[in-house]
Amino acid sequence: MSDRVALPDQVRYHAKWVLPITAPAIENGTVIVEGEKIVWVGPRHHAPPNGGNVRGNVRDDELGDAILLPGLVNTHTHLDLTVMRGLLEGLSFFPWIRTLTAARTDVLNSTTLLDSARLGVIEGLQHGITTYADTAPDPAGFDAMRELGVRGIFYHETFGPDPEQCDRAVDDLRRTIRALRPNASPLVGLGVSPHAPYSVSDELFTAVAKLAVELQLPLATHIAESEEEQSLVVDGDGAFAAFLNGRNIPVHPRGRSPIAMLERCGVLSPRTLLIHAVRTDATDRATIAAHGCGVAHCPASNAKLGHGIAPLAAMLEAGIHVGLGSDSMASNNQMDLIAEGRLAMLAQRATAKRDDVLDARTMVEIATLGGAKALGLAGTIGSLEPGKAADLAAFTIPVGANPVYDPYDAVIWSMAGTPAVRVVVAGHERLRDGEVVGYDTTSILTRVTATAARLAAWKAQRSSRSSPSSDSATPR
Ligand SMILES: [Zn+2]
């Protein structure tokens, strides 16, 4: 797939419903795109005459009975782990993360990881996702996003629970970023990611935060996710503490909460993305808001792994920029942000025992502009406005979403699982009628399936050899 394909001078997308996000929904709306940008949004009958002042190639795209909205923003992925969808079912968190790490080390390589990441982007495009915030210790997701022509930030992960690993980890990260930087583009940028409190020492958090400032890069970290992590940070206790003690790595209480620990280490800033933030109290939320951090809310992953329900409504009330994240396919099994939004709504209302918590309009905003704000990209994407990048997703309204009284309600309550019919990134059509444009999806799927067979064999051999808790793998 190449950006060298010439764009038409003007494309006019017409749909039953257009959701600009920053303006009210438009029935029978039109979005006009010139080159990589949106130039006009409004009711079709007000659209400037075909072509306007443009001389040259003008194309009308009749989307019909569809909802056209900004491309969805996935604020947390591990694209390279798509091949592990379904591999780790039934494991509790600690053996889950250790088995994941061992599988990656023992079975996968840069080629198979890249195919896995490609499949992740293909799935995302099929669900209308145009932007990905991907974290991984290898650049497979970075390469896959560039190859498939989507937008994203690739946060390169770093690990080091022992303070003695700090200098080396920072040197390695600096070297990696230097190597990747020539391939960064206006569409796919770079960031850094100290992985999580159980795999990163305070020293390394502090050093990576400084490096991010020095290199002017955004930072993402998994934080306040599990009970085990909370025990480690607050009490210096629990399963992660036992594991680290077993490796002679010093463990001590590190703060009144994981968020307080990050603040002390200088990690919090407007360019910081906090992944999960399940365990936050009012003080933590005020801290996150005061520093202007974004949050990646991953309700399916948090529920599936038994971590709980992040206080989404309270975070929004505190003024925090929140986006939706799928997390990896090892911990979610689907990359469908509409399904994620529906689950988020249900979980918030069930928790609050109230029917007036959030609404579908807000949830569609979280899946688009909210994600863009969380990633610091709201100047470019997240809404349909003249001057913004032409990142669009259209979904044909399925029978099961009819009748449509309100398009936001239709999207969130009735359109989970609906495949996108059209996806455009920076003016380039990346998905047409459900097919990734100019890309051989079948051969990727064949190769990923072959890798999955190797992973299954590895897992069978491993479980016949030992229990997952007795291996020597390190947590990610
Ligand atoms: Zn993650």
Side-chain angles (χ1 to χ4, degrees):
M1 172 169 309
S2 168
D3 287 345
R4 286 188 294 271
V5 175
L7 290 170
D9 298 294
Q10 187 181 90
V11 185
R12 304 153 67 84
Y13 295 93
H14 311 289
K16 170 72 179 166
W17 289 101
V18 170
L19 309 185
I21 305 299
T22 44
I26 304 161
E27 190 165 4
N28 298 317
T30 293
V31 176
I32 303 181
V33 171
E34 287 180 9
E36 299 190 350
K37 296 245 166 90
I38 295 167
V39 295
W40 193 87
V41 180
R44 183 170 187 163
H45 63 274
H46 286 162
N50 196 14
N53 295 325
V54 174
R55 269 184 239 125
N57 185 1
V58 176
R59 185 165 68 80
D60 281 277
D61 195 340
E62 300 287 352
L63 295 164
D65 198 19
I67 296 182
L68 174 61
L69 70 171
L72 304 180
V73 179
N74 192 343
T75 57
H76 186 47
T77 62
H78 297 270
L79 293 168
D80 58 340
L81 298 181
T82 307
V83 69
M84 292 198 199
R85 188 196 323 268
L87 179 72
L88 309 170
E89 305 307 324
L91 293 176
S92 61
F93 187 54
F94 194 60
W96 178 89
I97 202 160
R98 295 179 67 190
T99 309
L100 185 155
T101 308
R104 181 192 194 99
T105 311
D106 292 356
V107 183
L108 302 180
N109 57 38
S110 59
T111 306
T112 50
L113 286 165
L114 178 56
D115 277 337
S116 178
R118 286 166 170 152
L119 188 64
V121 177
I122 289 166
E123 181 182 5
L125 282 171
Q126 289 176 339
H127 285 106
I129 299 167
T130 51
T131 298
Y132 303 73
D134 193 55
T135 66
D138 62 80
F142 180 62
D143 293 339
M145 289 192 286
R146 288 168 46 235
E147 190 181 290
L148 281 137
V150 297
R151 193 180 298 278
I153 300 174
F154 174 70
Y155 298 91
H156 199 284
E157 284 184 331
T158 184
F159 304 84
D162 189 335
E164 293 197 356
Q165 297 167 301
C166 180
D167 289 349
R168 189 169 162 196
V170 172
D171 287 347
D172 286 351
L173 184 58
R174 186 188 287 277
R175 205 172 311 119
T176 304
I177 294 293
R178 194 179 300 139
L180 295 178
R181 242 183 173 160
N183 290 324
S185 70
L187 220 52
V188 183
L190 288 169
V192 290
S193 179
H195 175 256
Y198 51 86
S199 54
V200 172
S201 64
D202 285 3
E203 288 79 358
L204 186 52
F205 268 124
T206 305
V208 175
K210 282 186 185 149
L211 186 69
V213 172
E214 180 197 322
L215 300 179
Q216 298 184 315
L217 294 176
L219 180 152
T221 187
H222 296 81
I223 197 72
E225 181 182 12
S226 66
E227 196 62 51
E228 293 93 332
E229 177 202 323
Q230 178 92 3
S231 300
L232 175 73
V233 170
V234 177
D235 306 316
D237 209 353
F240 284 126
F243 177 79
L244 295 172
N245 277 325
R247 295 174 67 198
N248 294 320
I249 295 170
V251 175
H252 51 84
R254 293 156 72 179
R256 59 163 288 280
S257 70
I259 298 297
M261 180 206 71
L262 289 185
E263 187 181 36
R264 178 172 53 73
C265 293
V267 174
L268 304 183
S269 90
R271 300 203 76 190
T272 301
L273 178 70
L274 303 173
I275 303 159
H276 299 306
V278 176
R279 286 163 173 75
T280 61
D281 60 18
T283 306
D284 292 326
R285 291 190 287 275
T287 303
I288 295 169
H291 287 279
C293 309
V295 166
H297 178 52
C298 308
S301 168
N302 297 155
K304 188 179 180 222
L305 296 176
H307 294 325
I309 299 168
L312 171 62
M315 287 195 280
L316 295 173
E317 214 162 284
I320 297 169
H321 301 310
V322 185
L324 289 175
S326 62
D327 207 345
S328 81
M329 293 306 98
S331 59
N332 185 325
N333 306 44
Q334 340 183 268
M335 195 192 294
D336 179 347
L337 290 186
I338 294 176
E340 211 74 38
R342 183 176 196 271
L343 174 63
M345 290 273 283
L346 293 171
Q348 293 300 305
R349 290 188 181 184
T351 310
K353 297 194 176 74
R354 287 173 60 160
D355 61 6
D356 61 349
V357 175
L358 300 173
D359 55 32
R361 163 83 186 75
T362 305
M363 193 50 71
V364 173
E365 181 171 340
I366 291 171
T368 52
L369 189 59
K373 286 179 179 170
L375 300 180
L377 298 175
T380 310
I381 57 163
S383 57
L384 304 180
E385 294 178 77
K388 278 205 172 177
D391 286 20
L392 318 173
F395 298 84
T396 302
I397 302 168
V399 171
N402 277 289
V404 176
Y405 296 101
D406 175 281
Y408 302 104
D409 286 329
V411 169
I412 293 299
W413 294 123
S414 308
M415 286 174 63
T418 303
V421 66
R422 196 80 78 252
V423 177
V424 175
V425 184
H428 292 267
E429 200 170 273
R430 297 308 188 200
L431 183 113
R432 169 167 278 267
D433 303 331
E435 298 292 325
V436 177
V437 177
Y439 205 77
D440 183 1
T441 304
T442 309
S443 67
I444 301 295
L445 192 54
T446 303
R447 296 205 294 270
V448 170
T449 305
T451 305
R454 290 202 294 281
L455 280 166
W458 169 88
K459 193 185 168 203
Q461 200 179 28
R462 177 183 165 93
S463 51
S464 68
R465 212 175 51 225
S466 65
S467 74
S469 57
S470 65
D471 67 79
S472 61
T474 55
R476 288 189 54 207

